[in-house]
Amino acid sequence: MGRTQPDRDGYPRIDCPLVSTLSQLTKLEFLSLERYWIGDEWTGAQADFVNLLASFPKLTTLDLTGCCYQGQGSPSSKVAEILSCCTHLQHLALRNNKLVGSSIEFSQALGACTRLKSLDLSGTALNFPALTRLALGSLTELTSLD
């Protein structure tokens, strides 16, 4: 996907010119960032990742498989921040992410994604009883859960 810069761990980072280009794709429906570096430095000074996602009003599928999260907060809180601007998603893949525990912030953000039809959390260390109690009850459109 476009111009990337690898970091020291081999995860690609998207540079600022690409972010500027991506933000113009207002009809984007599917975005795969499998094994990308997502964090405070990800988009540089021009914009941040959450604002980039918010610029895609038609985005229904987001694949964040195996991403590396950097910056303030846990991976679960980073994903919660991402989900807060993507409540219109229908398909979400978070497999093989370093999501752990039963983050209330993450569960609440996930629960706000009421249009989700498929959710892939395989390979994470999330506490499923807590997720079920906090989030999955509001996902009435869900037809696939891994």
Side-chain angles (χ1 to χ4, degrees), residues 12 18-19 22 29 31 40 54 65 72 76 79 82 89 141:
L18 182 59
V19 168
L22 283 176
E29 295 178 9
L31 180 60
D40 297 339
T65 297
Q72 301 288 340
S76 295
V79 173
I82 290 166
L89 289 176
E141 299 295 316

Side-chain angles (χ1 to χ4, degrees), residues 1-74:
M1 180 182 107
R3 289 179 36 192
T4 61
Q5 300 172 351
D7 75 346
R8 66 189 181 289
D9 297 322
Y11 286 86
R13 294 186 195 198
I14 295 176
D15 61 18
C16 289
L18 182 59
V19 168
S20 177
T21 301
L22 283 176
S23 66
Q24 298 171 23
L25 302 176
T26 57
K27 294 182 181 182
L28 191 68
E29 295 178 9
F30 177 90
L31 180 60
S32 177
L33 297 172
E34 187 171 339
R35 291 195 41 80
Y36 269 79
W37 180 276
I38 297 172
D40 297 339
E41 298 175 7
W42 193 77
T43 57
Q46 293 182 6
D48 66 9
F49 183 64
V50 174
N51 287 337
L52 175 67
L53 288 177
S55 70
F56 304 135
K58 297 185 181 217
L59 186 68
T60 58
T61 302
L62 181 60
D63 185 349
L64 297 176
T65 297
C67 287
C68 180
Y69 302 92
Q70 177 255 345
Q72 301 288 340
S74 68

Side-chain angles (χ1 to χ4, degrees), residues 99-137:
L99 305 177
V100 296
S102 58
S103 166
I104 291 175
E105 182 183 19
F106 172 76
S107 296
Q108 289 173 336
L110 182 62
C113 297
T114 58
R115 297 180 186 169
L116 273 181
K117 294 179 180 179
S118 67
L119 175 61
D120 189 346
L121 297 171
S122 58
T124 67
L126 290 168
N127 179 327
F128 277 93
L131 275 178
T132 301
R133 186 174 58 252
L134 293 170
L136 298 181

Side-chain angles (χ1 to χ4, degrees), residues 88-101:
H88 48 281
L89 289 176
Q90 294 178 12
H91 309 281
L92 177 61
L94 294 171
R95 64 187 167 274
N96 299 323
N97 272 273
K98 294 180 181 179
L99 305 177
V100 296

